[in-house]
Amino acid sequence: MEAALEARLRQLLAADDSLGFRTLHAQLKQEPEFAEVSLKKVQTALQQLRATPAAGVREAGPGLSKYPVLELITLSGFSPGSQDENGYTPVMAAASWGHVDLLRILLQRDASAVNVADSDGDTPLHHVAQAIELEADQVRPVLELLLTNGADVSRRNAEGKTCIDACAQGSLVEGDAEEQEPEINLVFLKTMEDLGVQVS
């Protein structure tokens, strides 16, 4: 399904390369072939596609921002804390994908976006806690930026979980959740502890 998912995402991005992973996930769930695809799988696949020029995302060139999303935010009248239909923000996207430079720029424009919650009550910290694909060298600068800009570690989502609690909840592999143990994001926990946050 990996190749089929990648091919379908490329088709959808060719039509509109500004689509976020939640919107893409909702569209894919309507298609029988992808009815069971997880949100996390779509997010990871989209992140990988957008990391390659072939995905249809334009490269920076003369007169173009390195981050076209900033142009879209500005031209559309949105802010770094503006939410899509699921409450997802540009700050959440930059944080959960480990785009430190973009996150820094977004937070310089609107530091209050650091604690905006999506429709599930998840903040950017919750999203990073669930981003198990990020390496330690990506997680640390993201967390440093979020924390220095006032991210609230004690903030609870709709399920009553803090980002520390949530670091194990979003990383189940596709399939029957009752038969699987969640993968704990140890990189997130260790980094938070290194940054002086109590994790137990």
Side-chain angles (χ1 to χ4, degrees):
M1 178 157 107
E2 304 290 333
L5 176 60
E6 180 180 329
R8 184 63 181 128
L9 284 173
R10 285 187 189 279
Q11 290 173 339
L12 293 170
L13 289 173
D16 183 356
D17 71 359
S18 69
L19 294 174
F21 75 92
R22 290 180 188 265
T23 303
L24 288 165
H25 180 252
Q27 288 181 6
L28 288 168
K29 295 286 280 183
Q30 302 301 315
E31 300 176 18
E33 183 178 358
F34 302 107
E36 300 299 317
V37 70
S38 71
L39 181 65
K40 193 63 170 176
K41 186 173 281 279
V42 173
Q43 180 184 17
T44 301
L46 182 61
Q47 180 181 3
Q48 291 168 349
L49 283 175
R50 289 209 163 136
T52 61
V57 178
R58 64 187 172 143
E59 294 291 310
L64 295 178
S65 168
K66 179 179 176 187
Y67 300 104
V69 70
L70 291 177
E71 292 174 14
L72 292 172
I73 288 170
T74 304
L75 293 173
S76 303
F78 292 105
S79 74
S82 294
Q83 298 175 295
D84 70 8
E85 66 275 4
N86 296 304
Y88 199 67
T89 69
V91 168
M92 290 173 188
S96 65
W97 293 344
H99 295 298
V100 178
D101 292 337
L102 177 57
L103 180 61
R104 181 177 294 109
I105 293 167
L106 290 168
L107 291 173
Q108 285 171 347
R109 291 188 179 196
D110 182 6
S112 68
V114 77
N115 284 312
V116 172
D118 65 17
S119 58
D120 295 323
D122 291 332
T123 66
L125 278 176
H126 287 88
H127 285 276
V128 176
Q130 296 174 37
I132 60 171
E133 68 281 353
L134 293 180
E135 300 293 331
D137 63 335
Q138 294 173 297
V139 172
R140 185 177 188 90
V142 166
L143 291 178
E144 287 173 341
L145 274 172
L146 293 175
L147 293 171
T148 58
N149 279 278
D152 183 356
V153 178
S154 65
R155 180 106 180 241
R156 296 186 179 276
N157 65 13
E159 295 178 345
K161 296 183 178 189
T162 67
C163 61
I164 302 297
D165 302 327
C167 75
Q169 95 179 26
S171 52
L172 290 174
V173 182
E174 282 187 60
D176 186 3
E178 292 181 15
E179 295 178 10
Q180 300 175 7
E181 290 293 320
E183 184 177 343
I184 297 173
N185 190 343
L186 295 176
V187 170
F188 178 83
L189 289 175
K190 171 93 172 85
T191 306
M192 290 292 274
E193 188 173 54
D194 290 348
L195 293 172
V197 175
Q198 186 172 352
V199 298
S200 56

